[in-house]
Amino acid sequence: MNIRKISESDFEQINALIMELAEFENHPEKMVNSVERMKAEKKNFNGWVIETPDNKIVGYATYFFCYFTWIGKSLYMDDLYVKPEFRGMGLGTQLINKVIQYAKEEGCHKLRWQVSAWNNRAMDFYKKLGAEIDGTEQNCDLVF
């Protein structure tokens, strides 16, 4: 398996994986992104893919930089997703370690992401990495 930066030629496969993630999260109706939108906003779309030797993308991690007033420059991992049939092979660990390494290289003081309260398997995975899951904050979204 190969991990590499996302490129525009990946957008169609990634968009399909994003829809898989939305379905896994039981909210497919919230996935309104499109390949066209991704292309138009490509300067804001950053991350890595993990692909098979025949160039099939089986997982991805996306991120953006942010600034948290209490700690400073940080990286926010928006998605970490591996297709179900490729889980248990260490691919998610490889992807998140790539994000962690990048955050450190870029001088970030924190990496943040979300996990659904019902996703115990993911929470256990994140705790093994040393992540603290505080459960005190709720999402606040305004969608335009």
Side-chain angles (χ1 to χ4, degrees):
M1 299 284 182
N2 179 44
I3 296 179
R4 62 170 175 75
K5 285 287 232 177
I6 289 173
S7 69
E8 187 174 339
S9 63
D10 300 325
F11 288 0
E12 192 167 320
Q13 287 188 72
I14 294 171
N15 192 266
L17 291 177
I18 294 169
M19 188 58 177
E20 281 185 28
L21 174 58
E23 290 170 357
F24 176 76
E25 294 281 337
N26 296 314
H27 289 290
E29 74 284 356
K30 291 184 179 183
M31 202 323 229
V32 296
N33 206 353
S34 66
V35 173
E36 294 75 25
R37 183 180 286 180
M38 292 165 76
K39 287 180 180 179
E41 300 170 346
K42 64 185 171 189
K43 70 178 181 179
N44 298 304
F45 190 65
N46 302 294
W48 292 272
V49 295
I50 193 157
E51 63 184 355
T52 62
D54 62 346
N55 301 318
K56 179 181 176 186
I57 297 172
V58 297
Y60 70 96
T62 56
Y63 69 86
F64 57 88
F65 288 98
C66 55
Y67 193 89
F68 293 112
T69 57
W70 289 9
I71 196 160
K73 181 181 177 182
S74 301
L75 199 69
Y76 191 96
M77 183 175 65
D78 189 42
D79 284 349
L80 174 67
Y81 182 74
V82 175
K83 290 179 77 59
E85 61 268 31
F86 290 91
R87 293 181 189 156
M89 301 168 60
L91 303 179
T93 301
Q94 290 178 47
L95 279 168
I96 198 167
N97 283 337
K98 187 73 170 170
V99 176
I100 293 166
Q101 174 189 352
Y102 183 70
K104 289 177 179 179
E105 288 171 358
E106 290 295 317
C108 294
H109 306 289
K110 174 165 69 174
L111 173 63
R112 175 175 274 181
W113 65 94
Q114 295 174 318
V115 61
S116 296
W118 57 264
N119 196 340
N120 293 321
R121 184 174 176 194
M123 284 190 272
D124 290 343
F125 170 67
Y126 297 142
K127 287 176 185 175
K128 286 179 186 173
L129 292 170
E132 296 177 24
I133 302 171
D134 67 17
T136 60
E137 298 178 13
Q138 298 291 320
N139 292 328
C140 298
D141 294 327
L142 288 174
V143 179
F144 305 106

